[in-house]
């Protein structure tokens, strides 16, 4: 079969269609708005992981550390009086960017194995911290009493999740465009170069370590925003938002969608969350079983997830 | 103080018994195998079923645990793992997380989510006094097992023909293949050995950590820690690291019950900062 080819203009059209379709679920699926908001939030989280893993090539299995940190940052800020949502997001972004930058000194050095360990270790450490400081975080009961003021002072968060959907959609779209801008900038090209050949980038004088640290911090910041969004739209922070399982889950979402591709995380989140919702009545053990089978099959058979399979069928206009 | 160190050492020995197999697969064969705990669980359940349902003795069950885990490891190596030796670490991580999930679900399905019952054999019950300390016999037994495995591995990998071939294959696969070593078969055997050791450790952990289907995830960080802090691909490295981790963890939980659980992670991060390649950096083996 001859691959279909898309010109840059058609590609742009496809992108716009994707976002319009996402937005139209507001009218088409009015009783699934909460699920749709969560899909977008997890999509953003997966996109953030993609920055670190797919683009910068930093093997991390503890990204929930930042998702959780962002959620607690925004949740605590709102609980203790500052309930304006956008500044809450900015606060979470700043906290996670800082945290990510500090940790990047630990993570970027060393081999894949050490990175794996450090990222798991930090995630578990933060989980324990959240668990122990139950006076502040609520421990295993989660952080309750988070109250978020109306968005822009106009739209109150309602029971049906209408405001939550609109708010999440706007923020996720804006963050996604920002990430896309970064990844298409010379900085993003340098990351791709480092991913392809670290030695070559060092040889042409690219500050490899500094770039990787920056990418890791940015990825942490985006993950923090995703966590903060979840905290604000659900007005609750559960301790599982910082757990190792959450890290594994987002890894699965990203791999399902396709790593190193802009839309991989979003597509992965849509498919994963819909299937999860579908199987919601299923025993969690069965769900785990099928998830495991899927992972094994994905490694053995597929390359590049859903987006990888798509790109084999549809050739895009831009040169690779 | 003395008893804390003793318990820490016994706990560390258990971590060593499970972790050394991981050091072999992960360090020697460069395979990021997060499913190591699943192999330990296979051994643990095999021993538990043999003892509780078939009434077989403790010693024989330990042997059976080793064999069962080695067999399961051999099958998985043949079907999945050998295809990924040269793959990207991410693929290895995903495959092994998949194995963990499947094993947790399967063991819950067949054995239920509760902890496996275990009664110590008569000979290992109670306490014995040693240098003025009243120490548990079972813990003493664990320490004996750990030392025995350490010695056996050091001799086996350092002095035998098999060990020499493994070391050659690890240093340079192509050259080793050129000298007539069947590298694939060697890796197959070595992977099975690593899994068998995990199974032995899993069986021994019945009496100390307890065994339930979530075991592979619950203790994953501990096994990885022992290997990474010690130095992947070595035998003495994980041994030292396991003792340190065991003592730090027990001491932390004993003296600082509120914050003790952190101590171990802080310890790990500091150790990896000071020595990113582990306490004993890999130079061949031993």
């Amino acid at each position: 079969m001859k691959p279909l080819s898309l010109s840059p203009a058609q590609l742009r059209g496809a992108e716009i269609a994707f976002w319009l379709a996402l937005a139209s679920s507001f009218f088409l699926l009015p009783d699934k708005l909460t699920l749709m908001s969560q899909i977008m939030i997890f999509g953003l989280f997966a996109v953030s992981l993609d920055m670190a893993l797919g683009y910068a090539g930093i093997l991390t299995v503890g990204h929930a550390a930042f998702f959780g940190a962002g959620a607690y940052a925004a949740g605590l800020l709102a609980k203790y009086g500052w309930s304006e949502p956008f500044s809450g997001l900015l606060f979470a972004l700043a906290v996670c960017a800082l945290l990510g930058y500090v940790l990047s000194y630990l993570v970027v050095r060393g081999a894949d194995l050490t990175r794996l360990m450090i990222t798991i270790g930090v995630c578990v450490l933060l989980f324990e911290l959240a668990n122990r400081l139950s006076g502040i975080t609520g421990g295993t009961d989660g952080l309750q009493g988070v109250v978020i003021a109306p968005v822009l002072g106009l739209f109150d968060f309602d029971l049906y999740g209408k405001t939550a959907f609109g708010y999440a959609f706007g923020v996720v779209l804006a963050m996604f465009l920002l990430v896309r801008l970064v990844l298409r900038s010379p900085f993003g090209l340098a990351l791709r170069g480092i991913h392809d050949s670290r030695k070559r980038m060092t040889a042409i004088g690219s500050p490899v370590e500094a770039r990787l640290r920056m990418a890791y911090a940015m990825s942490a910041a985006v993950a923090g925003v995703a966590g903060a969004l979840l905290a604000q739209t659900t007005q609750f922070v559960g301790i599982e938002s910082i757990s190792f399982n959450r890290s594994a889950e987002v890894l699965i979402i990203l791999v399902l969608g396709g790593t190193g591709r802009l839309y991989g995380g979003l597509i992965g989140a849509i498919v994963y969350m819909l299937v999860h919702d579908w199987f919601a009545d299923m025993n969690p053990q069965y769900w785990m079983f099928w998830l495991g089978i899927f992972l094994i099959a994905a490694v053995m058979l597929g390359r590049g997830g859903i987006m990888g399979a798509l790109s084999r069928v549809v050739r895009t206009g831009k040169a690779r | 103080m003395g008893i804390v160190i003793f318990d820490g050492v016994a706990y560390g020995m258990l971590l060593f018994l499970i972790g050394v197999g991981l050091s072999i697969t992960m360090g020697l064969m460069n395979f990021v195998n997060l499913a190591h705990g699943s192999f330990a669980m296979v051994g643990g359940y095999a021993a538990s079923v043999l003892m509780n349902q078939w009434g077989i003795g403790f010693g024989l069950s330990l042997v059976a645990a080793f064999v069962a885990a080695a067999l399961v490891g051999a099958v998985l190596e043949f079907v999945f793992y050998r295809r990924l030796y040269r793959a990207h670490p991410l693929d290895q991580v995903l495959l092994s997380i998949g194995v963990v999930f499947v094993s947790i679900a399967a063991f819950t399905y067949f054995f239920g989510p509760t902890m496996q019952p275990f009664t110590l054999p008569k000979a290992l019950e109670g306490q014995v006094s040693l240098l003025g300390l009243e120490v548990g016999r079972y813990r003493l037994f664990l320490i004996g097992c750990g030392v025995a495995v350490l010695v056996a591995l050091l001799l086996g990998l350092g002095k035998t023909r098999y060990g020499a071939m493994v070391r050659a294959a690890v240093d340079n696969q192509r050259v080793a293949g050129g000298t007539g070593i069947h590298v694939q078969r060697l890796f197959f055997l070595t992977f099975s050995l690593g899994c068998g050791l995990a199974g032995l450790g899993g069986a021994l952990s019945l009496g100390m950590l307890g065994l339930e289907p979530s075991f592979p995830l619950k203790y994953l960080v501990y096994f990885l820690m022992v290997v990474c802090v010690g130095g992947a691909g070595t035998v003495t490295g994980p041994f030292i690291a396991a003792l340190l981790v065991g003592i730090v963890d027990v001491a932390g939980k004993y003296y600082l019950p509120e914050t003790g659980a952190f101590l171990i992670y802080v310890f790990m991060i500091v150790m990896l900062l000071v020595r990113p390649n582990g306490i004993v950096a890999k130079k061949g083996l031993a």
Side-chain angles (χ1 to χ4, degrees):
Chain A
M1 192 178 77
K2 190 165 166 278
L4 294 165
S5 64
L6 283 182
S7 67
Q10 284 167 322
L11 199 64
R12 176 161 294 256
E15 272 193 285
I16 293 172
F18 173 84
W19 288 99
L20 282 180
L22 208 54
S24 69
S25 61
F26 182 78
F27 305 103
L28 298 178
L29 303 165
D31 50 345
K32 290 273 183 196
L33 288 183
T34 312
L35 175 68
M36 290 308 293
S37 315
Q38 291 201 355
I39 288 178
M40 290 187 291
I41 290 166
F42 278 92
L44 182 64
F45 184 25
V47 166
S48 84
L49 178 65
D50 203 16
M51 277 182 100
L53 183 75
Y55 284 86
I58 300 169
L59 190 59
T60 158
V61 198
H63 227 53
F66 303 116
F67 187 80
Y72 277 115
L76 286 171
L77 191 71
K79 186 175 178 179
Y80 293 106
W82 187 268
S83 59
E84 202 285 313
F86 286 109
S87 47
L89 285 186
L90 278 181
F91 177 67
L93 184 133
V95 167
C96 290
L98 192 68
L99 186 64
Y101 192 71
V102 171
L103 289 178
S104 72
Y105 280 91
L106 290 179
V107 170
V108 165
R109 44 183 264 145
D112 277 333
L113 199 58
T114 318
R115 287 177 182 176
L116 200 89
M117 279 315 296
I118 297 260
T119 49
I120 293 183
V122 166
C123 187
V124 179
L125 185 67
L126 288 179
F127 179 85
E128 282 292 330
L129 202 67
N131 193 13
R132 290 302 158 102
L133 296 177
S134 51
I136 303 172
T137 62
T140 46
D141 295 334
L143 184 68
Q144 282 157 359
V146 177
V147 180
I148 305 292
V151 179
L152 301 172
L154 297 172
F155 305 100
D156 227 336
F157 281 98
D158 53 302
L159 274 177
Y160 310 101
K162 282 185 183 167
T163 309
F165 180 90
Y167 177 61
F169 181 83
V171 173
V172 170
L173 178 60
M175 290 305 291
F176 180 82
L177 291 177
L178 197 66
V179 169
R180 195 174 75 154
L181 194 70
V182 168
L183 291 177
R184 289 190 175 172
S185 70
F187 173 75
L189 289 178
L191 285 185
R192 199 177 290 179
I194 293 168
H195 194 135
D196 288 345
S197 168
R198 195 184 168 123
K199 273 186 194 151
R200 190 169 62 202
M201 291 306 280
T202 315
I204 64 170
S206 175
V208 170
E209 292 231 333
R211 290 258 155 83
L212 290 180
R213 275 203 299 276
M214 191 49 83
Y216 191 72
M218 285 181 182
S219 156
V222 177
V225 171
L229 263 183
L230 187 67
Q232 290 180 339
T233 52
T234 57
Q235 315 223 348
F236 173 75
V237 183
I239 196 162
E240 73 280 352
S241 65
I242 203 164
S243 67
F244 174 77
N245 282 2
R246 176 61 49 89
S247 299
E249 209 174 14
V250 72
L251 197 62
I252 293 167
I253 289 177
L254 179 60
V255 168
L256 176 64
T259 54
R261 294 164 196 277
L262 277 172
Y263 281 88
L266 296 174
I267 302 277
I270 293 173
V271 175
Y272 178 90
M273 298 287 284
L274 284 181
V275 175
H276 192 276
D277 186 55
W278 208 339
F279 286 136
D281 299 333
M282 231 183 186
N283 181 324
Q285 300 296 344
Y286 291 126
W287 170 241
M288 216 171 190
F289 180 79
W290 291 115
L291 215 57
I293 295 286
F294 161 76
L295 276 174
I296 296 172
V299 175
M300 286 295 154
L301 308 172
R303 281 277 170 271
I306 295 170
M307 290 303 283
L310 258 183
S311 75
R312 264 172 258 143
V313 180
V314 182
R315 183 167 298 160
T316 54
K318 67 176 181 224
R320 284 206 28 108
Chain B
M1 181 69 196
I3 199 72
V4 170
I5 289 184
F6 178 82
D7 283 356
V9 169
Y11 182 40
M13 283 296 180
L14 192 58
L15 293 179
F16 167 71
L17 280 166
I18 303 179
V20 71
L22 185 61
S23 175
I24 290 175
T25 50
M26 201 144 86
L28 289 185
M29 303 156 76
N30 282 321
F31 196 104
V32 182
N33 182 19
L34 299 189
H36 194 70
S38 296
F39 296 109
M41 185 161 74
V42 168
Y45 273 91
S48 166
V49 167
L50 284 182
M51 280 187 288
N52 293 329
Q53 293 181 8
W54 296 12
I56 290 175
F58 184 62
L60 213 56
S61 301
L62 289 185
V63 178
F66 181 91
V67 174
L71 278 179
V72 172
V75 171
L76 288 185
E77 201 272 355
F78 190 75
V79 181
F80 298 123
Y81 282 75
R82 67 171 43 179
R83 285 159 230 279
L84 291 178
Y85 281 136
R86 286 159 186 277
H88 190 267
L90 178 62
D91 285 339
Q92 301 172 345
V93 166
L94 292 171
L95 173 79
S96 48
I97 292 184
V99 171
V100 169
F101 282 179
V102 170
S103 69
I104 291 178
F107 276 85
T108 313
Y109 180 79
F110 286 111
F111 298 98
T114 50
M115 206 167 265
Q116 283 295 298
F118 177 75
T119 40
L120 275 175
K122 282 277 181 295
L124 295 176
E125 272 176 12
Q127 311 228 307
V128 62
S129 89
L130 183 86
L131 302 173
L133 281 178
E134 286 292 310
V135 297
R137 279 172 195 262
Y138 187 67
R139 285 162 200 236
L140 205 59
F141 174 71
L142 282 181
I143 294 178
C145 287
V147 173
V149 167
L150 173 73
V151 172
L153 277 177
L154 283 179
L155 289 179
L157 290 170
K159 302 284 182 202
T160 63
R161 187 179 152 75
Y162 166 76
M165 291 199 295
V166 171
R167 280 177 287 144
V170 167
D171 283 344
N172 192 328
Q173 281 192 34
R174 278 180 60 195
V175 173
T179 62
I181 295 173
H182 197 312
V183 175
Q184 198 174 37
R185 194 167 60 203
L186 197 67
F187 272 24
F188 175 70
L189 285 175
T190 311
F191 188 84
S192 308
L193 171 71
C195 293
L197 286 171
L200 177 66
L204 285 170
S205 68
L206 275 168
M208 193 148 170
L209 303 178
L211 201 60
E212 48 177 335
S214 65
F215 182 85
L217 269 186
K218 203 167 159 190
Y219 292 101
L220 171 68
V221 179
Y222 283 81
F223 310 145
L224 284 172
M225 197 186 295
V226 165
V227 173
C228 288
V229 168
T234 67
V235 173
T236 42
F239 184 76
I240 300 169
L243 293 187
L244 287 175
V245 168
I247 293 171
V248 169
D249 199 30
V250 171
K253 282 176 180 156
Y254 187 84
Y255 290 113
L256 307 162
E258 282 302 304
T259 51
F262 298 131
L263 210 57
I264 199 85
Y265 303 110
V266 175
F267 169 76
M268 175 187 85
I269 289 169
V270 170
M271 285 305 290
L272 284 176
L273 271 181
V274 179
R275 292 193 70 89
N277 294 316
I279 296 173
V280 179
K282 183 166 92 179
K283 271 192 231 124
L285 248 177

